[in-house]
Amino acid sequence: MARINHDTVELWQGWQRRELRVDRCKDCGTWVFPPRPFCPGCWSDALVGTALGGAGRLVSYSLPRVAPGSPPVVSGVVALAEAPGVRLLARIVGIEPERVALGMPLALGWWEDDGGVYPQFGPVDAAPARPDGGAVGGVADEGAADGGAGEAGA
Amino acid sequence: MNGWERAAIVGIGWSELARDSGVGPGSLIARAARAAVLDSGVARDAIDGVIGVYGTDSPTLWPGYVVDALGLPDVRWWDTAQPPSVTALSTAANAVLTGNCDYALCYHGKYRWANTSVVGRGDPLRQAPAHEFDPGLDHALVEHGGSMLWAARVMREHMARHGSTREDFARISVNNRTNAARNPRAVFRAPLTVEDYLAAPMIDDPMCLLDMDAPIDGALAVVVTTERRARDLPHPPVLVEAFASALPERNDGLLWPEADGLAARRAVANLFARSDLTPADIDLAYPYDGFTILAMLWLEALYTGPGEGPALLRESWSDDEQRLRLHGRVPVCTHGGNLSEGRATQGFGSVIEAVQQLRGDAGDRQVDAARSAVITGGMAGTNRSTILVSG
Ligand SMILES: [Zn+2]
């Protein structure tokens, strides 16, 4: 069960509908995540929940040890292409751990257990926009990793 | 000399540091606190401030417990601080400089609670991810997340961006263990080689067992007063030349691994802005080493640009000594760091060690003519760093 509170329950409820909604400031365009009471850029209270498709790129990941015989787990940080400056912590699935590369493009999916529905990410089937050798550069260039983040997301 | 009055560390003490102390956390803290007061030469009844590390990450005991356990009759100031421990030291320094108290007892303790050492109970060097890896990853929603996964992602990114290798991180691990061989406080003192490191089991790939400190039981304490009062006490005072922090935007290292290097660089800049000393002047370096990647980032913040730590480590490595000498001179973590003293210390071991070195009282670990030390603590969101100098 997620540890939700008054400030995060709306996001959590969106997940239960398999919907990723991120607040965006109506006045200055800043994407706001995790949920905050008002825009940290301009202090406007006008935040608008915006549903995202969930395209992203992998910022970093680790492979935590799991119980013997259990499937491997890839625990990653994903930068969302549609919302510069927004990142999610999520499982990376559908790919062998040794093929995971920093900067790789990812697509949003969902998984669930008894406690609820959670986002996860998997590889994009189409040819990656960035060749394998460019993965490192993709991370070093934060703008690219974070969906072309401008001032608003930095 | 920084131009304003300084606080001084006048007493140090510690409990046994052990994988299984056989006593409760309160006993450890009380023993360390009593030892520090006795070492200081300050009369028990003159201790009028108590400051403890009392963070959510570090279940420990609040100052009232220490007042009762030590029978302190007239404490007029108390406070608590988040780990790691330099935060408590600086809070104590502020308290004596503002006059809220004259002699502050400052402590840190940590204990192998069941929830911080589940699998490790039978084999304390093992830190299986079970207790930190939350299969729901629900900390993406809220404020909590396992520090091990966070550090592993920072390390992964460092390797990918800057080309650091496991051999580079091994040098930090081996250096600290080499130094720990001469530190009777250290829990892990058996020598290590780079080959041992490379053969160690992966815990959270790319982090292996020897990249992380292990949970232990223990407590450490110091007595802090002003420089002026320190002159009347038995030990040569060790002065708190400066301390500083930084909270740059994007402190959430869980999502922003690169924030950690930025926080370290800003904290170091803020620290040296408060002193005439420069990093090159410092004789002893104590980068926080709860994870080797943190030590890497702190060394970069102190001595190089981002990503240049591996080159610094390669240049500074002595194969003969199996340890680091930065710029051919400066030893790193002369006591072996958290990696050797264990996770009960959370940086406070560096404070105790630096005081011993700067007093000239470090036994066969003594570094000749050591007059200054830099101690960095924590990382983004929890960093606090200090420069200590001989008085
Ligand atoms: Zn705004």
Side-chain angles (χ1 to χ4, degrees), chain A residues 25 28 30 39 42 44:
Chain A
C25 176
C28 78
T30 297
C39 173
C42 72
S44 166

Side-chain angles (χ1 to χ4, degrees), chain B residues 106-120:
Chain B
C106 171
Y107 64 88
H108 174 83
K110 205 160 159 75
Y111 197 62
R112 288 182 62 214
W113 301 102
N115 67 331
T116 56
S117 184
V118 176
V119 178

Side-chain angles (χ1 to χ4, degrees), chain A residues 1-108:
Chain A
M1 183 59 192
R3 297 182 195 90
I4 52 177
N5 61 36
H6 287 100
D7 289 340
T8 55
V9 64
E10 216 171 304
L11 180 71
W12 170 253
Q13 286 167 345
W15 288 8
Q16 305 321 295
R17 300 188 302 269
R18 297 177 185 246
E19 184 179 85
L20 178 60
R21 290 181 85 83
V22 173
D23 282 339
R24 189 174 201 189
C25 176
K26 199 175 170 185
D27 292 315
C28 78
T30 297
W31 292 94
V32 180
F33 186 87
R36 295 284 186 255
F38 47 80
C39 173
C42 72
W43 292 7
S44 166
D45 292 314
L47 300 183
V48 181
T50 307
L52 299 177
R57 283 187 184 276
L58 185 61
V59 175
S60 192
Y61 70 100
S62 71
L63 308 173
R65 192 168 63 171
V66 296
S70 301
V73 169
V74 180
S75 168
V77 171
V78 179
L80 297 181
E82 303 149 279
V86 174
R87 295 176 174 184
L88 287 182
L89 198 51
R91 289 183 179 196
I92 311 301
V93 300
I95 180 170
E96 300 75 40
E98 35 308 340
R99 291 185 53 237
V100 174
L102 272 60
M104 70 183 294
L106 295 165
L108 174 68

Side-chain angles (χ1 to χ4, degrees), chain A residues 1-3 8 11-12 59-65 73 75 77 85 87 89-91 102 111 118 136 139 142 153, chain B residues 128-129 133 135-142 149 152-153 156-157 160-161 202-205 250 254-258:
Chain A
M1 183 59 192
R3 297 182 195 90
T8 55
L11 180 71
W12 170 253
V59 175
S60 192
Y61 70 100
S62 71
L63 308 173
R65 192 168 63 171
V73 169
S75 168
V77 171
R87 295 176 174 184
L89 198 51
R91 289 183 179 196
L102 272 60
W111 67 282
Y118 310 82
V136 171
V139 173
E142 187 174 311
Chain B
F133 178 57
L137 290 174
D138 52 10
H139 44 281
L141 259 186
V142 287
L149 275 79
R153 286 191 298 268
R156 169 91 60 198
E157 205 179 22
R161 275 192 187 197
M202 276 295 171
I203 303 298
D204 188 16
D205 190 339
R250 297 292 190 195
L254 288 174
L255 293 176
W256 297 85
E258 65 274 24

Side-chain angles (χ1 to χ4, degrees), chain B residues 176-201:
Chain B
N176 288 12
R177 194 63 79 81
T178 299
N179 288 337
R182 294 190 222 175
N183 176 9
R185 271 191 307 275
V187 177
F188 305 104
R189 298 178 66 184
L192 274 184
T193 63
V194 171
E195 290 68 36
D196 292 332
Y197 172 96
L198 295 174

Side-chain angles (χ1 to χ4, degrees), chain B residues 88-281:
Chain B
L89 173 65
S90 55
T91 297
N94 276 335
V96 298
L97 292 176
T98 56
N100 281 314
C101 58
D102 294 339
Y103 299 96
L105 171 62
C106 171
Y107 64 88
H108 174 83
K110 205 160 159 75
Y111 197 62
R112 288 182 62 214
W113 301 102
N115 67 331
T116 56
S117 184
V118 176
V119 178
R121 192 156 292 284
D123 177 0
L125 253 180
R126 285 178 51 180
Q127 290 185 78
H131 64 280
E132 291 199 314
F133 178 57
D134 171 358
L137 290 174
D138 52 10
H139 44 281
L141 259 186
V142 287
E143 296 79 19
H144 186 262
S147 61
M148 185 176 68
L149 275 79
W150 150 71
R153 286 191 298 268
V154 178
M155 183 172 172
R156 169 91 60 198
E157 205 179 22
H158 195 278
M159 295 170 99
R161 275 192 187 197
H162 303 305
S164 52
T165 65
R166 294 195 64 218
E167 284 80 358
D168 296 325
F169 292 98
R171 289 188 180 94
I172 295 168
S173 188
V174 173
N175 170 80
N176 288 12
R177 194 63 79 81
T178 299
N179 288 337
R182 294 190 222 175
N183 176 9
R185 271 191 307 275
V187 177
F188 305 104
R189 298 178 66 184
L192 274 184
T193 63
V194 171
E195 290 68 36
D196 292 332
Y197 172 96
L198 295 174
M202 276 295 171
I203 303 298
D204 188 16
D205 190 339
M207 274 205 318
C208 75
L209 187 66
L210 297 174
D211 284 309
M212 49 187 75
D213 55 8
I216 64 157
D217 299 343
L220 310 100
V222 296
V223 175
V224 177
T225 188
T226 58
E227 181 173 357
R228 200 172 305 133
R229 290 192 191 93
R231 302 283 172 208
D232 300 328
L233 292 166
H235 286 292
V238 170
L239 305 177
V240 182
E241 165 76 5
F243 48 87
S245 295
L247 289 180
E249 200 180 6
R250 297 292 190 195
N251 287 288
D252 184 358
L254 288 174
L255 293 176
W256 297 85
E258 65 274 24
D260 301 297
L262 177 61
R265 288 196 299 281
R266 290 209 187 157
V268 164
N270 293 341
L271 180 65
F272 282 92
R274 295 179 64 78
S275 172
D276 292 336
L277 295 169
T278 71
D281 298 325

Side-chain angles (χ1 to χ4, degrees), chain B residues 15-25 28 31 111-112 217-218:
Chain B
S15 74
E16 181 194 17
L17 307 179
R19 292 186 258 184
D20 181 3
S21 64
V23 300
L28 296 168
R31 287 174 183 173
Y111 197 62
R112 288 182 62 214
D217 299 343

